[in-house]
Amino acid sequence: HILVLDVDLAVPFSPLGILHTLGLKPEYAVASSGRQPWPTAFGSFLTPYDLNGFREQNTPKTKGLEVWHQRFCSIAPPGERWHSECDALSPSHLVAILWNDRRRLPDKEDFYPVKSAFNGAVLYPVKLIQESGAVYDNGDGQRCEHVGFHATIGKIKTVLVNRKWDMHLDPNFPGGAAWGR
């Protein structure tokens, strides 16, 4: 396995979450469930970290959110800087992320399927990367690199998020560029 970790996060990488993933879903690419406090919410609203790397597996209940999100992101043409920011700013994208993160699944289901997610860390089986031929790719230069990588892996096996592999970002050191660190 290969662990891809956002090393500029001020967070322990949660070894029990890694063991839980390896014990239950060793053949899947599995993202952590990293959390960050929402700015200006004074710690009362926690969302998954890395909104740019998330793409949900649409269901009939959520297809409308994807349509709204695509319209929101189409404000500017492909290749514009807007396309790297629209995922983090889109209200419908945030609702889709929260719905996936908080929905009730069958009893004891700690994992949920996505097209892509990062949330601070992903554990990849080496064999899955080799078989899929996945490479980090940012599409038009304004797409999160994890999205292209997971799209290729997803052709062979679904990407998952492990709710129990939980890492909480320090509000004093939010995710993103490591300014001054």
Side-chain angles (χ1 to χ4, degrees), residues 25-158:
K25 301 288 184 181
E27 69 280 5
Y28 288 87
V30 180
S32 69
S33 184
R35 309 246 174 239
Q36 68 180 355
W38 193 257
T40 71
F42 303 105
S44 64
F45 184 48
L46 296 175
T47 61
Y49 167 68
D50 198 8
L51 305 180
N52 287 334
F54 183 88
R55 297 293 184 276
E56 73 169 317
Q57 278 196 347
N58 286 308
T59 68
K61 291 182 180 180
T62 62
K63 185 63 180 161
L65 290 172
E66 177 64 21
V67 171
W68 291 348
H69 176 63
Q70 292 305 321
R71 287 185 182 157
F72 184 80
C73 288
S74 70
I75 290 171
E80 293 286 329
R81 179 80 174 139
W82 170 250
H83 285 273
S84 73
E85 302 300 326
C86 71
D87 294 320
L89 299 172
S90 169
S92 57
H93 190 61
L94 177 60
V95 169
I97 291 170
L98 292 174
W99 185 86
N100 277 278
D101 184 60
R102 296 175 181 177
R103 69 183 160 148
R104 302 228 183 259
L105 294 172
D107 283 343
K108 302 186 189 229
E109 186 57 56
D110 299 326
F111 300 84
Y112 63 90
V114 293
K115 288 182 184 174
S116 179
F118 181 64
N119 301 331
V122 180
L123 195 58
Y124 297 103
V126 173
K127 184 177 178 183
L128 182 58
I129 294 172
Q130 292 169 336
E131 287 176 358
S132 69
V135 294
Y136 275 105
D137 155 30
N138 66 356
D140 64 3
Q142 296 299 327
R143 179 183 72 185
C144 175
E145 69 279 10
H146 300 292
V147 173
F149 194 78
H150 293 150
T152 307
I153 285 176
K155 292 176 184 175
I156 295 177
K157 194 163 282 280
T158 302

Side-chain angles (χ1 to χ4, degrees), residues 3-18 32-35 49 118-122 164-171 173 181:
L3 174 65
V4 176
L5 179 68
D6 201 345
V7 295
D8 69 341
L9 299 179
V11 62
F13 63 88
S14 185
L16 293 178
I18 294 170
S32 69
S33 184
R35 309 246 174 239
Y49 167 68
F118 181 64
N119 301 331
V122 180
K164 288 195 173 178
W165 184 9
D166 206 12
M167 304 185 303
H168 288 264
L169 277 68
D170 184 331
F173 299 100
R181 280 189 254 166

